[in-house]
PDB file of all heavy atoms in Angstrom:
ATOM      1  N   SER A  23     -11.021   3.815 -16.025  1.00 95.00           N
ATOM      2  CA  SER A  23     -10.500   2.573 -15.448  1.00 95.00           C
ATOM      3  C   SER A  23     -10.079   2.858 -14.009  1.00 95.00           C
ATOM      4  O   SER A  23      -9.939   4.020 -13.604  1.00 95.00           O
ATOM      5  CB  SER A  23      -9.294   2.085 -16.247  1.00 95.00           C
ATOM      6  OG  SER A  23      -8.217   2.984 -16.108  1.00 95.00           O
ATOM      7  N   SER A  24      -9.848   1.811 -13.260  1.00 93.00           N
ATOM      8  CA  SER A  24      -9.377   1.972 -11.884  1.00 93.00           C
ATOM      9  C   SER A  24      -8.079   2.765 -11.836  1.00 93.00           C
ATOM     10  O   SER A  24      -7.877   3.598 -10.952  1.00 93.00           O
ATOM     11  CB  SER A  24      -9.168   0.602 -11.237  1.00 93.00           C
ATOM     12  OG  SER A  24     -10.382  -0.067 -11.124  1.00 93.00           O
ATOM     13  N   GLU A  25      -7.198   2.506 -12.794  1.00 93.00           N
ATOM     14  CA  GLU A  25      -5.912   3.199 -12.839  1.00 93.00           C
ATOM     15  C   GLU A  25      -6.091   4.688 -13.160  1.00 93.00           C
ATOM     16  O   GLU A  25      -5.390   5.534 -12.614  1.00 93.00           O
ATOM     17  CB  GLU A  25      -4.979   2.562 -13.878  1.00 93.00           C
ATOM     18  CG  GLU A  25      -4.626   1.112 -13.603  1.00 93.00           C
ATOM     19  CD  GLU A  25      -5.725   0.132 -14.032  1.00 93.00           C
ATOM     20  OE1 GLU A  25      -6.464   0.411 -15.006  1.00 93.00           O
ATOM     21  OE2 GLU A  25      -5.856  -0.912 -13.374  1.00 93.00           O
ATOM     22  N   SER A  26      -7.006   4.994 -14.052  1.00 96.00           N
ATOM     23  CA  SER A  26      -7.231   6.385 -14.468  1.00 96.00           C
ATOM     24  C   SER A  26      -7.821   7.238 -13.352  1.00 96.00           C
ATOM     25  O   SER A  26      -7.615   8.454 -13.324  1.00 96.00           O
ATOM     26  CB  SER A  26      -8.158   6.438 -15.681  1.00 96.00           C
ATOM     27  OG  SER A  26      -7.571   5.802 -16.777  1.00 96.00           O
ATOM     28  N   ILE A  27      -8.544   6.621 -12.449  1.00 97.00           N
ATOM     29  CA  ILE A  27      -9.176   7.370 -11.354  1.00 97.00           C
ATOM     30  C   ILE A  27      -8.113   8.128 -10.566  1.00 97.00           C
ATOM     31  O   ILE A  27      -8.275   9.312 -10.263  1.00 97.00           O
ATOM     32  CB  ILE A  27      -9.990   6.428 -10.444  1.00 97.00           C
ATOM     33  CG1 ILE A  27     -11.199   5.885 -11.210  1.00 97.00           C
ATOM     34  CG2 ILE A  27     -10.429   7.149  -9.168  1.00 97.00           C
ATOM     35  CD1 ILE A  27     -11.940   4.769 -10.502  1.00 97.00           C
ATOM     36  N   GLY A  28      -7.023   7.457 -10.246  1.00 96.00           N
ATOM     37  CA  GLY A  28      -5.936   8.100  -9.505  1.00 96.00           C
ATOM     38  C   GLY A  28      -5.317   9.254 -10.269  1.00 96.00           C
ATOM     39  O   GLY A  28      -4.987  10.296  -9.692  1.00 96.00           O
ATOM     40  N   THR A  29      -5.160   9.082 -11.578  1.00 97.00           N
ATOM     41  CA  THR A  29      -4.600  10.136 -12.419  1.00 97.00           C
ATOM     42  C   THR A  29      -5.495  11.369 -12.404  1.00 97.00           C
ATOM     43  O   THR A  29      -5.022  12.501 -12.259  1.00 97.00           O
ATOM     44  CB  THR A  29      -4.422   9.628 -13.869  1.00 97.00           C
ATOM     45  OG1 THR A  29      -3.599   8.460 -13.848  1.00 97.00           O
ATOM     46  CG2 THR A  29      -3.800  10.677 -14.751  1.00 97.00           C
ATOM     47  N   PHE A  30      -6.794  11.151 -12.534  1.00 97.00           N
ATOM     48  CA  PHE A  30      -7.751  12.261 -12.499  1.00 97.00           C
ATOM     49  C   PHE A  30      -7.726  12.931 -11.125  1.00 97.00           C
ATOM     50  O   PHE A  30      -7.717  14.166 -11.034  1.00 97.00           O
ATOM     51  CB  PHE A  30      -9.164  11.761 -12.810  1.00 97.00           C
ATOM     52  CG  PHE A  30      -9.482  11.696 -14.268  1.00 97.00           C
ATOM     53  CD1 PHE A  30      -8.839  10.798 -15.103  1.00 97.00           C
ATOM     54  CD2 PHE A  30     -10.442  12.518 -14.821  1.00 97.00           C
ATOM     55  CE1 PHE A  30      -9.137  10.733 -16.457  1.00 97.00           C
ATOM     56  CE2 PHE A  30     -10.751  12.472 -16.173  1.00 97.00           C
ATOM     57  CZ  PHE A  30     -10.092  11.568 -16.995  1.00 97.00           C
ATOM     58  N   ALA A  31      -7.720  12.131 -10.069  1.00 97.00           N
ATOM     59  CA  ALA A  31      -7.713  12.677  -8.707  1.00 97.00           C
ATOM     60  C   ALA A  31      -6.475  13.526  -8.468  1.00 97.00           C
ATOM     61  O   ALA A  31      -6.558  14.603  -7.862  1.00 97.00           O
ATOM     62  CB  ALA A  31      -7.801  11.541  -7.694  1.00 97.00           C
ATOM     63  N   ASN A  32      -5.336  13.059  -8.956  1.00 96.00           N
ATOM     64  CA  ASN A  32      -4.097  13.832  -8.799  1.00 96.00           C
ATOM     65  C   ASN A  32      -4.169  15.146  -9.568  1.00 96.00           C
ATOM     66  O   ASN A  32      -3.787  16.194  -9.048  1.00 96.00           O
ATOM     67  CB  ASN A  32      -2.889  13.020  -9.279  1.00 96.00           C
ATOM     68  CG  ASN A  32      -2.514  11.931  -8.313  1.00 96.00           C
ATOM     69  OD1 ASN A  32      -2.826  11.989  -7.135  1.00 96.00           O
ATOM     70  ND2 ASN A  32      -1.853  10.913  -8.822  1.00 96.00           N
ATOM     71  N   PHE A  33      -4.646  15.097 -10.789  1.00 97.00           N
ATOM     72  CA  PHE A  33      -4.722  16.310 -11.598  1.00 97.00           C
ATOM     73  C   PHE A  33      -5.617  17.359 -10.943  1.00 97.00           C
ATOM     74  O   PHE A  33      -5.275  18.541 -10.910  1.00 97.00           O
ATOM     75  CB  PHE A  33      -5.222  16.008 -13.013  1.00 97.00           C
ATOM     76  CG  PHE A  33      -5.257  17.233 -13.874  1.00 97.00           C
ATOM     77  CD1 PHE A  33      -4.129  17.645 -14.561  1.00 97.00           C
ATOM     78  CD2 PHE A  33      -6.404  18.008 -13.982  1.00 97.00           C
ATOM     79  CE1 PHE A  33      -4.137  18.794 -15.333  1.00 97.00           C
ATOM     80  CE2 PHE A  33      -6.431  19.157 -14.756  1.00 97.00           C
ATOM     81  CZ  PHE A  33      -5.293  19.553 -15.436  1.00 97.00           C
ATOM     82  N   PHE A  34      -6.754  16.911 -10.432  1.00 96.00           N
ATOM     83  CA  PHE A  34      -7.704  17.847  -9.823  1.00 96.00           C
ATOM     84  C   PHE A  34      -7.405  18.099  -8.341  1.00 96.00           C
ATOM     85  O   PHE A  34      -8.199  18.723  -7.644  1.00 96.00           O
ATOM     86  CB  PHE A  34      -9.138  17.363 -10.028  1.00 96.00           C
ATOM     87  CG  PHE A  34      -9.582  17.460 -11.462  1.00 96.00           C
ATOM     88  CD1 PHE A  34      -9.786  16.315 -12.214  1.00 96.00           C
ATOM     89  CD2 PHE A  34      -9.756  18.690 -12.067  1.00 96.00           C
ATOM     90  CE1 PHE A  34     -10.173  16.405 -13.547  1.00 96.00           C
ATOM     91  CE2 PHE A  34     -10.149  18.784 -13.397  1.00 96.00           C
ATOM     92  CZ  PHE A  34     -10.351  17.639 -14.137  1.00 96.00           C
ATOM     93  N   LYS A  35      -6.253  17.592  -7.881  1.00 96.00           N
ATOM     94  CA  LYS A  35      -5.754  17.838  -6.526  1.00 96.00           C
ATOM     95  C   LYS A  35      -6.762  17.444  -5.447  1.00 96.00           C
ATOM     96  O   LYS A  35      -7.026  18.212  -4.498  1.00 96.00           O
ATOM     97  CB  LYS A  35      -5.338  19.294  -6.371  1.00 96.00           C
ATOM     98  CG  LYS A  35      -4.185  19.677  -7.277  1.00 96.00           C
ATOM     99  CD  LYS A  35      -3.786  21.125  -7.095  1.00 96.00           C
ATOM    100  CE  LYS A  35      -2.559  21.423  -7.905  1.00 96.00           C
ATOM    101  NZ  LYS A  35      -2.753  22.110  -9.128  1.00 96.00           N
ATOM    102  N   LEU A  36      -7.325  16.250  -5.589  1.00 96.00           N
ATOM    103  CA  LEU A  36      -8.262  15.746  -4.600  1.00 96.00           C
ATOM    104  C   LEU A  36      -7.497  15.150  -3.429  1.00 96.00           C
ATOM    105  O   LEU A  36      -6.488  14.461  -3.619  1.00 96.00           O
ATOM    106  CB  LEU A  36      -9.173  14.675  -5.212  1.00 96.00           C
ATOM    107  CG  LEU A  36     -10.041  15.105  -6.379  1.00 96.00           C
ATOM    108  CD1 LEU A  36     -10.886  13.936  -6.877  1.00 96.00           C
ATOM    109  CD2 LEU A  36     -10.939  16.267  -5.998  1.00 96.00           C
ATOM    110  N   GLY A  37      -7.975  15.406  -2.224  1.00 95.00           N
ATOM    111  CA  GLY A  37      -7.391  14.813  -1.028  1.00 95.00           C
ATOM    112  C   GLY A  37      -7.785  13.342  -0.926  1.00 95.00           C
ATOM    113  O   GLY A  37      -8.526  12.814  -1.759  1.00 95.00           O
ATOM    114  N   LYS A  38      -7.323  12.695   0.115  1.00 95.00           N
ATOM    115  CA  LYS A  38      -7.587  11.264   0.290  1.00 95.00           C
ATOM    116  C   LYS A  38      -9.081  10.953   0.358  1.00 95.00           C
ATOM    117  O   LYS A  38      -9.579  10.064  -0.315  1.00 95.00           O
ATOM    118  CB  LYS A  38      -6.870  10.765   1.546  1.00 95.00           C
ATOM    119  CG  LYS A  38      -6.995   9.272   1.772  1.00 95.00           C
ATOM    120  CD  LYS A  38      -6.220   8.839   2.992  1.00 95.00           C
ATOM    121  CE  LYS A  38      -6.322   7.400   3.377  1.00 95.00           C
ATOM    122  NZ  LYS A  38      -7.224   6.543   2.734  1.00 95.00           N
ATOM    123  N   ARG A  39      -9.795  11.698   1.197  1.00 93.00           N
ATOM    124  CA  ARG A  39     -11.236  11.471   1.351  1.00 93.00           C
ATOM    125  C   ARG A  39     -11.999  11.794   0.058  1.00 93.00           C
ATOM    126  O   ARG A  39     -12.912  11.077  -0.341  1.00 93.00           O
ATOM    127  CB  ARG A  39     -11.759  12.332   2.505  1.00 93.00           C
ATOM    128  CG  ARG A  39     -12.878  11.671   3.247  1.00 93.00           C
ATOM    129  CD  ARG A  39     -13.220  12.443   4.523  1.00 93.00           C
ATOM    130  NE  ARG A  39     -14.628  12.735   4.407  1.00 93.00           N
ATOM    131  CZ  ARG A  39     -15.155  13.949   4.354  1.00 93.00           C
ATOM    132  NH1 ARG A  39     -14.413  15.003   4.465  1.00 93.00           N
ATOM    133  NH2 ARG A  39     -16.439  14.105   4.225  1.00 93.00           N
ATOM    134  N   GLU A  40     -11.589  12.867  -0.608  1.00 95.00           N
ATOM    135  CA  GLU A  40     -12.223  13.253  -1.876  1.00 95.00           C
ATOM    136  C   GLU A  40     -11.943  12.207  -2.954  1.00 95.00           C
ATOM    137  O   GLU A  40     -12.834  11.869  -3.740  1.00 95.00           O
ATOM    138  CB  GLU A  40     -11.694  14.608  -2.338  1.00 95.00           C
ATOM    139  CG  GLU A  40     -12.094  15.750  -1.436  1.00 95.00           C
ATOM    140  CD  GLU A  40     -11.286  17.013  -1.712  1.00 95.00           C
ATOM    141  OE1 GLU A  40     -10.055  16.923  -1.843  1.00 95.00           O
ATOM    142  OE2 GLU A  40     -11.914  18.079  -1.794  1.00 95.00           O
ATOM    143  N   THR A  41     -10.734  11.683  -2.984  1.00 96.00           N
ATOM    144  CA  THR A  41     -10.376  10.658  -3.963  1.00 96.00           C
ATOM    145  C   THR A  41     -11.188   9.394  -3.728  1.00 96.00           C
ATOM    146  O   THR A  41     -11.687   8.773  -4.670  1.00 96.00           O
ATOM    147  CB  THR A  41      -8.867  10.341  -3.906  1.00 96.00           C
ATOM    148  OG1 THR A  41      -8.148  11.533  -4.225  1.00 96.00           O
ATOM    149  CG2 THR A  41      -8.492   9.237  -4.871  1.00 96.00           C
ATOM    150  N   ASP A  42     -11.348   9.021  -2.467  1.00 94.00           N
ATOM    151  CA  ASP A  42     -12.144   7.839  -2.126  1.00 94.00           C
ATOM    152  C   ASP A  42     -13.585   8.019  -2.596  1.00 94.00           C
ATOM    153  O   ASP A  42     -14.185   7.124  -3.188  1.00 94.00           O
ATOM    154  CB  ASP A  42     -12.087   7.595  -0.618  1.00 94.00           C
ATOM    155  CG  ASP A  42     -12.810   6.330  -0.207  1.00 94.00           C
ATOM    156  OD1 ASP A  42     -12.529   5.265  -0.802  1.00 94.00           O
ATOM    157  OD2 ASP A  42     -13.651   6.405   0.713  1.00 94.00           O
ATOM    158  N   TYR A  43     -14.141   9.203  -2.359  1.00 94.00           N
ATOM    159  CA  TYR A  43     -15.507   9.501  -2.785  1.00 94.00           C
ATOM    160  C   TYR A  43     -15.603   9.491  -4.315  1.00 94.00           C
ATOM    161  O   TYR A  43     -16.533   8.906  -4.881  1.00 94.00           O
ATOM    162  CB  TYR A  43     -15.945  10.863  -2.235  1.00 94.00           C
ATOM    163  CG  TYR A  43     -17.375  11.218  -2.539  1.00 94.00           C
ATOM    164  CD1 TYR A  43     -18.409  10.760  -1.737  1.00 94.00           C
ATOM    165  CD2 TYR A  43     -17.696  12.009  -3.639  1.00 94.00           C
ATOM    166  CE1 TYR A  43     -19.726  11.078  -2.013  1.00 94.00           C
ATOM    167  CE2 TYR A  43     -19.010  12.345  -3.927  1.00 94.00           C
ATOM    168  CZ  TYR A  43     -20.022  11.869  -3.114  1.00 94.00           C
ATOM    169  OH  TYR A  43     -21.332  12.177  -3.403  1.00 94.00           O
ATOM    170  N   PHE A  44     -14.638  10.100  -4.979  1.00 96.00           N
ATOM    171  CA  PHE A  44     -14.616  10.138  -6.443  1.00 96.00           C
ATOM    172  C   PHE A  44     -14.561   8.713  -7.005  1.00 96.00           C
ATOM    173  O   PHE A  44     -15.289   8.374  -7.941  1.00 96.00           O
ATOM    174  CB  PHE A  44     -13.416  10.960  -6.929  1.00 96.00           C
ATOM    175  CG  PHE A  44     -13.307  11.073  -8.418  1.00 96.00           C
ATOM    176  CD1 PHE A  44     -14.232  11.799  -9.160  1.00 96.00           C
ATOM    177  CD2 PHE A  44     -12.271  10.450  -9.098  1.00 96.00           C
ATOM    178  CE1 PHE A  44     -14.139  11.898 -10.542  1.00 96.00           C
ATOM    179  CE2 PHE A  44     -12.160  10.545 -10.478  1.00 96.00           C
ATOM    180  CZ  PHE A  44     -13.095  11.274 -11.194  1.00 96.00           C
ATOM    181  N   ARG A  45     -13.717   7.867  -6.417  1.00 96.00           N
ATOM    182  CA  ARG A  45     -13.604   6.464  -6.851  1.00 96.00           C
ATOM    183  C   ARG A  45     -14.953   5.750  -6.726  1.00 96.00           C
ATOM    184  O   ARG A  45     -15.393   5.056  -7.633  1.00 96.00           O
ATOM    185  CB  ARG A  45     -12.535   5.759  -6.020  1.00 96.00           C
ATOM    186  CG  ARG A  45     -12.264   4.316  -6.411  1.00 96.00           C
ATOM    187  CD  ARG A  45     -11.165   3.691  -5.570  1.00 96.00           C
ATOM    188  NE  ARG A  45      -9.959   4.496  -5.482  1.00 96.00           N
ATOM    189  CZ  ARG A  45      -9.032   4.577  -6.434  1.00 96.00           C
ATOM    190  NH1 ARG A  45      -9.175   3.895  -7.545  1.00 96.00           N
ATOM    191  NH2 ARG A  45      -7.971   5.336  -6.273  1.00 96.00           N
ATOM    192  N   LYS A  46     -15.626   5.961  -5.605  1.00 94.00           N
ATOM    193  CA  LYS A  46     -16.938   5.338  -5.399  1.00 94.00           C
ATOM    194  C   LYS A  46     -17.960   5.858  -6.408  1.00 94.00           C
ATOM    195  O   LYS A  46     -18.787   5.093  -6.911  1.00 94.00           O
ATOM    196  CB  LYS A  46     -17.425   5.585  -3.972  1.00 94.00           C
ATOM    197  CG  LYS A  46     -16.648   4.788  -2.953  1.00 94.00           C
ATOM    198  CD  LYS A  46     -17.030   5.168  -1.541  1.00 94.00           C
ATOM    199  CE  LYS A  46     -16.129   4.449  -0.554  1.00 94.00           C
ATOM    200  NZ  LYS A  46     -16.316   4.896   0.814  1.00 94.00           N
ATOM    201  N   LEU A  47     -17.905   7.155  -6.705  1.00 95.00           N
ATOM    202  CA  LEU A  47     -18.803   7.737  -7.713  1.00 95.00           C
ATOM    203  C   LEU A  47     -18.593   7.082  -9.075  1.00 95.00           C
ATOM    204  O   LEU A  47     -19.559   6.762  -9.770  1.00 95.00           O
ATOM    205  CB  LEU A  47     -18.561   9.236  -7.861  1.00 95.00           C
ATOM    206  CG  LEU A  47     -19.316  10.208  -7.008  1.00 95.00           C
ATOM    207  CD1 LEU A  47     -19.061  11.628  -7.490  1.00 95.00           C
ATOM    208  CD2 LEU A  47     -20.788   9.928  -6.974  1.00 95.00           C
ATOM    209  N   VAL A  48     -17.330   6.923  -9.452  1.00 97.00           N
ATOM    210  CA  VAL A  48     -17.019   6.310 -10.743  1.00 97.00           C
ATOM    211  C   VAL A  48     -17.586   4.894 -10.787  1.00 97.00           C
ATOM    212  O   VAL A  48     -18.282   4.518 -11.731  1.00 97.00           O
ATOM    213  CB  VAL A  48     -15.495   6.301 -11.011  1.00 97.00           C
ATOM    214  CG1 VAL A  48     -15.162   5.459 -12.237  1.00 97.00           C
ATOM    215  CG2 VAL A  48     -14.980   7.721 -11.179  1.00 97.00           C
TER     216      VAL A  48
END
């Protein structure tokens, strides 16, 4: 879910740009 993306990004210690890319991938 959109909410879970942030949780995953935080756990895997993704930076802002990496989180944005991860969100787009999802």
Side-chain angles (χ1 to χ4, degrees):
S23 66
S24 295
E25 298 80 31
S26 297
I27 292 170
T29 303
F30 274 67
N32 286 337
F33 182 86
F34 290 110
K35 297 180 174 102
L36 300 180
K38 184 178 177 352
R39 213 171 124 242
E40 293 166 314
T41 299
D42 184 51
Y43 184 84
F44 181 68
R45 183 178 310 281
K46 288 173 186 172
L47 270 189
V48 171

